[in-house]
Amino acid sequence: MADPRGFLKHGRQLPTRRPVPVRLLDWKEVYEDFPAADLQQQASRCMDCGIPFCNNGCPLGNLIPDWNDLTHNGQWTDAIERLHATNNFPEFTGRLCPAPCEAACVLGINEPPVTIKQIEVEIVDRAWAQGDIAPVSPTAATSKRVAVVGSGPAGLAAAQQLTRAGHEVVVYERDDRPGGLLRYGIPEFKMEKRHLDRRLDQMRAEGTSFVCNTAVGVDVSADELQEAFDAVVLACGATEARDLPIPGRELDGIHQAMEYLPIANHVQQGDIAEPSITAEGKHVIIIGGGDTGADCLGTALRQGAKSINQFEIMPRPPDERPASNPWPTWPMIYRVSSAHEEGGEREYAINTTEFTGSDGRVTGLSSVRVEQSFTDGRMSFEPIAGSERDFPADLVLLAMGFTGAEPGPLLEQFGVELDARGNVARDDSWSTSVEGVFVCGDMGRGQSLIVWAIAEGRSAAASVDRLLTGHTLLPSPVTPTAAPLR
């Protein structure tokens, strides 16, 4: 146990965010450095509970009390080893995961929980700085070949695990660089891409190969992959964006978030000088109140938008947990991200009814306030009479989530079955309806968290390894939760 009285001595403390006027001038991450002494103090708040609910709250099963204790005692090398035992990429989750582990922290019953996420990211950043992270080469080669399609967190986790098990792994990515949404969906101010690039360098040094600018189903066929490899892992994400088919949707200036965010990231990568879709000098409406909407908000602010409104059809969450949302469930409470802190207006319980425009371009939209209601357990939103309002809009960004796997040549050529939600169906061994073809991450689970993607990638890798060798020593932290194969 880090300190039996640590949680009584110290309150919850997080790094300071850089001043808003300063950070809006660049695209760097928003947090100041966190002193090691303060971090060790925060780690001392961990009570090493008899039943560590934080472990269960984390899909990866991270050994959180262990590395909290090691951090408190300054045993940084041991801490990163314990962290890497369950998580291939703690620098990603430590920056991007909403931390269900903290929601499950026992201290969180009546006090602010342990800063688990911050401790995690500080451990791995320090390990990189000290040279404690090196390539992990397999002890023996198996002569088996595995193709991983998609290089987001699920695909990368599966690829690294299978490479370390001794298989020859090739990752196929249709974009020009590996990383998937980590590369082009996450803005630089949330995760600088240097963190991704050095992990990719590690994977290459371990033996994983990456083939970019290659769309499976177009540039290389499913038959070619199945002939050349002993197994195929599909990890392409749930990239079919939810649309808003209302009058005026055809107007120029209305874009999906994933049409807008990748362009801003290409600018930061140095690929292009100016974005082809920009918020500069425009009235911006973001439809969708989740993390992707917040990413659009922070991006539009840095591009110099004239005004920004972010719409959410759900009512404003409460500031504290309601009785119907007890610990250790995920708290559905009002949150302020770094982007929300920087500017823009948040509109709750509002629905867009029509886009309006001139000369083929959007110039505004019509909205109405709504009231949430339930009938026979089904949720609906009823318009409130007299609450209609028009907003100016030169740029509308749709950030309403994703509906499932993207239809197209890849799915058609592999011929895998889909479940009722549009995801690729799989059984309890991560196998699709096609022999030798596996699926993990959002492509099989549906839109979810980065921590689930990594956990599923690790688990799918264990199943592939077992198929190829008859046994496996790879961990399998989770089981499939989507609809099984018929």
Side-chain angles (χ1 to χ4, degrees), residues 24-85:
L24 286 179
L25 297 175
D26 60 43
W27 293 77
K28 297 178 182 177
E29 292 179 14
V30 303
Y31 289 101
E32 304 275 12
D33 292 337
F34 199 54
D38 291 349
L39 184 75
Q40 291 174 275
Q41 192 178 82
Q42 289 299 297
S44 77
R45 298 180 70 235
C46 177
M47 298 183 289
D48 194 10
C49 308
I51 299 176
F53 284 85
C54 57
N55 287 15
N56 294 330
C58 175
L60 285 163
N62 280 339
L63 306 173
I64 294 164
D66 290 15
W67 40 259
N68 279 339
D69 181 59
L70 293 167
T71 298
H72 172 62
N73 292 307
Q75 297 173 260
W76 302 104
T77 301
D78 290 339
I80 188 59
E81 289 180 359
R82 203 64 55 91
L83 184 51
H84 271 153

Side-chain angles (χ1 to χ4, degrees), residues 107-189:
L107 185 57
I109 295 175
N110 60 350
E111 295 285 343
V114 176
T115 57
I116 298 169
K117 178 177 170 180
Q118 187 60 38
I119 295 167
E120 175 183 25
V121 77
E122 293 286 350
I123 291 171
V124 67
D125 284 353
R126 178 178 286 267
W128 279 111
Q130 294 181 167
D132 289 337
I133 299 177
V136 179
S137 300
T139 56
T142 66
S143 76
K144 300 294 186 180
R145 305 186 74 224
V146 182
V148 176
V149 186
S151 64
L156 292 180
Q160 187 167 62
Q161 292 293 94
L162 288 166
T163 297
R164 290 175 174 180
H167 307 301
E168 181 184 345
V169 180
V170 180
V171 179
Y172 288 86
E173 171 55 56
R174 64 182 177 182
D175 285 329
D176 61 336
R177 297 179 179 88
L181 287 182
L182 293 171
R183 172 76 64 186
Y184 291 123
I186 301 298
E188 192 83 354
F189 57 82

Side-chain angles (χ1 to χ4, degrees), residues 404-428:
E406 182 180 317
L410 183 147
L411 292 181
E412 293 168 5
Q413 290 181 20
F414 276 107
V416 293
E417 290 183 11
L418 303 182
D419 64 23
R421 297 171 56 217
N423 305 314
V424 176
R426 67 267 186 98
D427 63 18
D428 58 6

Side-chain angles (χ1 to χ4, degrees), residues 39-363:
L39 184 75
Q40 291 174 275
Q41 192 178 82
Q42 289 299 297
S44 77
R45 298 180 70 235
C46 177
M47 298 183 289
D48 194 10
C49 308
I51 299 176
F53 284 85
C54 57
N55 287 15
N56 294 330
C58 175
L60 285 163
N62 280 339
L63 306 173
I64 294 164
D66 290 15
W67 40 259
N68 279 339
D69 181 59
L70 293 167
T71 298
H72 172 62
N73 292 307
Q75 297 173 260
W76 302 104
T77 301
D78 290 339
I80 188 59
E81 289 180 359
R82 203 64 55 91
L83 184 51
H84 271 153
T86 56
N87 188 352
N88 298 65
F89 314 121
E91 62 269 52
F92 304 163
T93 52
R95 287 175 168 82
L96 304 175
C97 180
C101 54
E102 293 188 15
C105 173
V106 172
L107 185 57
I109 295 175
N110 60 350
E111 295 285 343
V114 176
T115 57
I116 298 169
K117 178 177 170 180
Q118 187 60 38
I119 295 167
E120 175 183 25
V121 77
E122 293 286 350
I123 291 171
V124 67
D125 284 353
R126 178 178 286 267
W128 279 111
Q130 294 181 167
D132 289 337
I133 299 177
V136 179
S137 300
T139 56
T142 66
S143 76
K144 300 294 186 180
R145 305 186 74 224
V146 182
V148 176
V149 186
S151 64
L156 292 180
Q160 187 167 62
Q161 292 293 94
L162 288 166
T163 297
R164 290 175 174 180
H167 307 301
E168 181 184 345
V169 180
V170 180
V171 179
Y172 288 86
E173 171 55 56
R174 64 182 177 182
D175 285 329
D176 61 336
R177 297 179 179 88
L181 287 182
L182 293 171
R183 172 76 64 186
Y184 291 123
I186 301 298
E188 192 83 354
F189 57 82
K190 282 183 67 174
M191 188 183 79
E192 295 174 15
K193 300 307 174 282
R194 58 189 177 90
H195 302 297
L196 171 60
D197 288 334
R198 66 186 176 189
R199 189 61 81 171
L200 292 170
D201 288 343
Q202 180 201 35
M203 292 181 65
R204 292 187 182 98
E206 292 171 350
T208 303
S209 299
F210 293 90
V211 178
C212 296
N213 291 310
T214 302
V216 174
V218 178
D219 301 305
V220 58
S221 71
D223 286 344
E224 288 174 308
L225 285 192
Q226 290 172 291
E227 183 177 341
F229 293 91
D230 299 289
V232 177
V233 178
L234 302 180
C236 307
T239 56
E240 185 70 4
R242 181 175 284 107
D243 210 343
L244 187 59
I246 60 175
R249 174 61 180 90
E250 75 284 354
L251 294 168
D252 289 340
I254 304 171
H255 302 277
Q256 290 286 353
M258 288 309 299
E259 295 173 334
Y260 172 66
L261 292 172
I263 296 171
N265 276 311
H266 274 292
V267 173
Q268 296 308 308
Q269 296 271 193
D271 300 331
I272 53 178
E274 298 292 337
S276 55
I277 304 173
T278 180
E280 184 177 3
K282 295 178 180 177
H283 296 292
V284 180
I285 302 289
I286 300 166
I287 301 179
D291 287 342
T292 302
D295 293 344
C296 291
L297 172 62
T299 299
L301 287 166
R302 282 160 178 77
Q303 290 178 341
K306 183 181 294 184
S307 71
I308 307 175
N309 290 84
Q310 185 177 7
F311 287 6
E312 171 56 61
I313 197 170
M314 298 290 288
R316 183 189 185 280
D319 292 325
E320 303 291 339
R321 281 183 186 265
S324 60
N325 182 201
W327 176 91
T329 59
W330 175 253
M332 304 298 290
I333 58 175
Y334 182 72
R335 303 173 191 275
V336 179
S337 72
S338 64
H340 294 130
E341 184 183 69
E342 293 164 357
E345 299 293 331
R346 302 169 81 175
E347 304 281 350
Y348 286 95
I350 189 170
N351 186 36
T352 305
T353 57
E354 181 181 10
F355 298 115
T356 56
S358 176
D359 297 327
R361 284 199 60 84
V362 67
T363 58

